[in-house]
Amino acid sequence: MLKMNRMRTALTLLLALISMALQAVDVKTIDSLVQRFEASPASERPDVANRLMQICVDEQLCDEPLRFGPESHPDTLVQHVSYWAAELFYAYQDYSRTVGSALKAEPLSRGTAMESDVVNLLALSYFRMADYDDAAQYAKRCYQLDEQTGDADLMSSSLNTLAGIYIGANQPKEAEGYILKGIEMARKADNPARMAVLQGMASEVYHALGQDAKALGYINEACDLERRLGRQDRLAVRTTQRASVLIGLHHYEEAERDLGDVVTYLRTTPDRHSLGIALNKLGMAILQQYREADALPCFREAADIFSDMGDMGNEMHARRGLYECLRKSDPEAAHRELDRFDLLKDSLYSHATAESLARYNAEFGAQWLQRENAAQRRTMWLLGAALLLLCIVAVGVWLYMNRRHRVREEALQVIIDLLRRRPADDHSAAAADASDIHRHTQPSNHELLNHVVAFVMANLPKGDLSLETLADELSLSGSQLNRRIKLLTGVTAQQYVLQVRLEHARLLLQEHPGMSVAEIGFQCGFESAASFSRAFRRAFGVAPSQFRTAM
C-alpha cells in the first residue's frame, strides 16, 4: 500500500511538472509573438495579430478569432494584440506580463466596449500581485463603467473584485459592504456561476470577521452551485475556501481530508495559484494538529510558488507557517522566515496603502454606502416621530422595489416566452407582430415589450435595428421610448434589444446543434464572432461554445 501511494504521488508530481512546462512554453510563445509584432513593419503586423488570435481560440478565451488585414488601423491592431496577449498572460497566471500588456491597451480602449474589460484585467492582476492601491483604483473605475451599462451581472463582478481587494488588504469590514451589494446584484442578474463566486468571497469575508457559522452557510451554497454547474476546477477553489472556514471552526481533520483531495486534483492542472493557496490551507490544518513536520513541506512549496508569482500576500502566510513549523526544531531557520514575513507584512500593510484604500472607499461612486450611514444619523436625530416616518417610507420603498423587480422579471420573461413560441427561423410571425405596431398610438406596457421583441425578430434578417424606426412605428419620440423601456425593465432600450438578441442566440445554441457559433452570432446581429462571444460571455458567464457543451 505504501509503495502504491508513493507511485501515485510520483505520477501526480510528474503531471504537475508537465503542466508547468507547457505553461512556460505558452508564456514564452506569447511573449515572443508580442515582441515580434512590435518589431515587425506595418505590412507584417496583421499576420502576427491573426496568429495571436488563433491561440486565444485554442485556449477557449474566445470562440472565433478576429481577423486582421492590410486595411486594419494601426491603433486597432495594437489595442487588440495588447489586450488579448494580456488575457493569455492572465490565463497562464503571469500577472506582471498581464499588467504590461494591459497598460498598452488601456489608453487605446478608452470610450470603447473593451475599456471595462481592460481595466478589470488590470484590477485583478494588481490584486494578484498584492498591489492593493492600484487594484482598488482600477476596480473602482471598472465598477463605474459597468454601472453606466445598468448590467447587474457586470456590477456584481466588479463589486466582488473590490471585496477581494479589501480582504487582501486586511480590511474585512469594508469588504462586507461590497460583497453584500454584489450578491444583491447577482440575484437580479440570475447568473448561478457568478453567484457561486460571490458566495465564496462572502465566506472569506465572514471568516476574516470571525463569523465562521455565517461563512459556512455561504460556502456550502457556493459548493452546491458549483456541483450543479459541473465546474470541477471551480469546485476545487470553493472547497479550499470551505476548508478555511472548517479550520476556523476547529474541524481540522475534515479540512485536511478535503484539502488533500483538492491538492491531488490541482497538481494535474496548470493552476499553480490555486494549488499554492490549497497548500497553505492544508499546512495550516495539519499544523493545528501539532504535526509540524508534516505541515512543513506544504508551506515550503506554497512559499516557492508565490515567490515565483510575485504574490506577496499569500507568500506572507506561507512564511508565517514555515516559522511556526521550524520554531522548535530549527530556531535559526525559523528566525529567517519570520524576518521575511515581517518584510512582506510591512510592504503589504503600509500606512500609505491603508490611507489610499480608505480614500477609495470614502470616494467610491457606489453612494449606497454613504446613504446608509446618513440614514442612520438621521434616525438618531429625529427619534420617535422620525422613526415612525422612516418605517412608513421603508415599507413604501420595499413595495415599490418589489413591484419594480417583478415588472423587470416579467419584461425578461416576455422575451423568453415570445422566442420559445416562435420557431427560431420563422420571421413571418415576427413581421406580422411588428406590423401591428402601426395600429397602436400609445401601446400598453405589455404591448410595448411585445412590440420590441417582435421588431427585433422581424428586422434581424435585414440587419436594421434602428431604435428611431421603432420609436416612429410606436408614435413615440426616441427619448419617450427609452424612458418607458427603462422604467419597465431597468435597462435602456438599446440594452433591452441586446437582451432579446442574446436570448435568441441562447435558444439557437440549444435547438440547432448543427449551426456553428459564428453563424448563430451573425444571425443575431453581431458583426463578428469575437464580438458575439464577448457579449455572450459577459451576459451569461460562459462562452457560447462552453454553454453548448454544458447542455
Side-chain angles (χ1 to χ4, degrees):
M1 179 63 70
L2 180 60
K3 187 175 181 180
M4 290 188 66
N5 286 339
R6 289 177 177 174
M7 289 176 64
R8 280 197 295 267
T9 302
L11 179 59
T12 300
L13 288 171
L14 179 59
L15 289 171
L17 289 171
I18 291 172
S19 297
M20 291 169 63
L22 289 173
Q23 176 177 330
V25 171
D26 288 336
V27 169
K28 290 178 181 178
T29 300
I30 303 308
D31 200 26
S32 176
L33 275 174
V34 172
Q35 292 181 27
R36 179 180 163 193
F37 175 83
E38 293 174 346
S40 296
S43 60
E44 297 178 10
R45 284 190 164 191
D47 290 337
V48 182
N50 288 333
R51 169 62 182 145
L52 183 74
M53 288 306 306
Q54 186 57 51
I55 293 175
C56 290
V57 174
D58 295 341
E59 294 296 324
Q60 295 189 330
L61 291 180
C62 59
D63 289 300
E64 297 289 341
L66 290 170
R67 292 297 181 190
F68 302 103
E71 74 285 353
S72 300
H73 193 279
D75 286 349
T76 301
L77 284 172
V78 173
Q79 176 187 351
H80 282 279
V81 167
S82 300
Y83 169 71
W84 287 106
E87 284 276 16
L88 285 164
F89 286 137
Y90 187 83
Y92 302 145
Q93 300 182 352
D94 191 324
Y95 305 121
S96 178
R97 282 190 173 95
T98 302
V99 168
S101 289
L103 286 175
K104 293 177 184 176
E106 187 273 331
L108 297 171
S109 70
R110 291 178 186 173
T112 71
M114 191 179 286
E115 182 179 4
S116 62
D117 292 329
V118 174
V119 296
N120 181 58
L121 202 56
L122 283 165
L124 291 171
S125 300
Y126 278 122
F127 170 54
R128 292 298 190 191
M129 297 165 65
D131 184 344
Y132 302 125
D133 194 347
D134 284 333
Q137 176 186 348
Y138 283 108
K140 172 186 174 182
R141 181 174 156 197
C142 184
Y143 178 81
Q144 290 170 335
L145 290 167
D146 292 340
E147 192 176 31
Q148 291 172 12
T149 70
D151 190 316
D153 189 44
L154 294 180
M155 286 189 279
S156 69
S157 176
S158 299
L159 289 163
N160 181 73
T161 301
L162 277 161
I165 291 167
Y166 279 86
I167 278 289
N170 201 28
Q171 299 184 28
K173 192 59 184 174
E174 288 76 6
E176 182 184 19
Y178 295 118
I179 199 60
L180 291 178
K181 187 67 174 179
I183 289 174
E184 177 187 333
M185 290 291 179
R187 287 199 179 98
K188 292 181 181 179
D190 192 24
N191 184 344
R194 183 80 67 203
M195 180 61 79
V197 174
L198 286 154
Q199 288 178 328
M201 180 60 71
S203 76
E204 293 194 23
V205 170
Y206 286 110
H207 174 59
L209 289 170
Q211 301 177 36
D212 286 313
K214 183 179 287 189
L216 187 62
Y218 276 111
I219 196 57
N220 282 340
E221 290 183 22
C223 289
D224 288 343
L225 279 174
E226 298 291 14
R227 289 190 190 94
R228 290 201 295 270
L229 292 168
R231 303 197 310 173
Q232 182 65 26
D233 55 336
R234 296 294 88 193
L235 179 58
V237 174
R238 304 294 160 249
T239 304
T240 303
Q241 292 173 318
R242 184 174 183 272
S244 293
V245 179
L246 292 175
I247 292 171
L249 293 168
H250 309 297
H251 299 167
Y252 306 127
E253 292 182 0
E254 183 181 355
E256 181 185 358
R257 184 171 58 252
D258 290 349
L259 286 166
D261 293 339
V262 168
V263 168
T264 299
Y265 168 74
L266 289 175
R267 288 194 190 283
T268 67
T269 76
D271 189 355
R272 297 181 67 229
H273 192 268
S274 295
L275 173 61
I277 293 174
L279 285 166
N280 258 348
K281 302 300 181 185
L282 179 57
M284 183 58 66
I286 296 172
L287 185 61
Q288 292 299 321
Q289 299 174 68
Y290 305 104
R291 291 158 45 207
E292 290 85 352
D294 292 335
L296 184 62
C298 297
F299 288 123
R300 197 179 300 283
E301 185 179 356
D304 290 342
I305 289 173
F306 293 126
S307 178
D308 289 342
M309 298 179 72
D311 186 340
M312 292 189 294
N314 282 304
E315 184 188 351
M316 181 188 71
H317 293 300
R319 299 293 175 188
R320 176 61 183 269
L322 286 170
Y323 165 75
E324 293 290 344
C325 291
L326 296 167
R327 187 163 49 92
K328 296 177 182 177
S329 61
D330 191 343
E332 184 177 348
H335 185 72
R336 288 196 298 270
E337 297 299 342
L338 186 60
D339 286 344
R340 177 63 177 164
F341 168 83
D342 288 335
L343 182 62
L344 289 166
K345 184 177 180 181
D346 290 343
S347 298
L348 280 172
Y349 304 137
S350 67
H351 181 68
T353 298
E355 284 188 340
S356 297
L357 290 176
R359 184 178 73 254
Y360 288 134
N361 192 44
E363 296 174 352
F364 187 61
Q367 296 178 354
W368 42 271
L369 289 173
Q370 298 173 5
R371 287 197 296 268
E372 287 177 3
N373 292 334
Q376 290 175 2
R377 288 194 297 270
R378 284 195 298 271
T379 301
M380 293 177 62
W381 293 337
L382 296 176
L383 298 177
L387 181 60
L388 177 62
L389 179 61
L390 186 62
C391 291
I392 295 172
V393 171
V395 171
V397 169
W398 180 85
L399 290 172
Y400 170 75
M401 293 301 294
N402 189 50
R403 176 183 175 277
R404 189 172 182 181
H405 179 66
R406 187 171 62 254
V407 170
R408 289 180 182 179
E409 287 184 337
E410 291 172 356
L412 183 58
Q413 196 62 43
V414 166
I415 298 175
I416 297 170
D417 290 346
L418 287 179
L419 292 179
R420 290 193 183 281
R421 284 203 304 269
R422 182 180 298 117
D425 56 351
D426 180 10
H427 296 284
S428 59
D433 290 345
S435 67
D436 290 341
I437 297 172
H438 297 289
R439 303 172 194 161
H440 299 273
T441 56
Q442 288 295 323
S444 69
N445 292 338
H446 188 72
E447 289 173 332
L448 175 65
L449 297 182
N450 282 348
H451 288 328
V452 173
V453 177
F455 175 82
V456 173
M457 296 304 297
N459 288 278
L460 263 179
K462 298 181 287 186
D464 180 15
L465 295 177
S466 167
L467 293 178
E468 290 78 8
T469 302
L470 175 59
D472 288 342
E473 291 179 349
L474 287 163
S475 300
L476 297 171
S477 68
S479 60
Q480 287 175 321
L481 174 66
N482 195 61
R483 186 165 55 251
R484 286 191 62 181
I485 289 180
K486 189 160 188 178
L487 182 65
L488 291 171
T489 68
V491 297
T492 65
Q494 184 176 7
Q495 290 161 356
Y496 191 65
V497 167
L498 178 60
Q499 288 181 357
V500 177
R501 292 162 59 200
L502 288 171
E503 286 294 342
H504 181 42
R506 187 154 65 165
L507 283 177
L508 290 177
L509 287 166
Q510 292 173 332
E511 298 171 0
H512 294 271
M515 291 178 66
S516 70
V517 169
E519 184 181 355
I520 290 173
F522 293 139
Q523 283 203 17
C524 295
F526 292 91
E527 295 180 357
S528 69
S531 62
F532 169 54
S533 178
R534 186 163 58 245
F536 193 94
R537 184 168 58 170
R538 297 202 77 182
F540 302 118
V542 295
S545 62
Q546 293 172 317
F547 173 80
R548 173 175 274 171
T549 303
M551 290 189 305

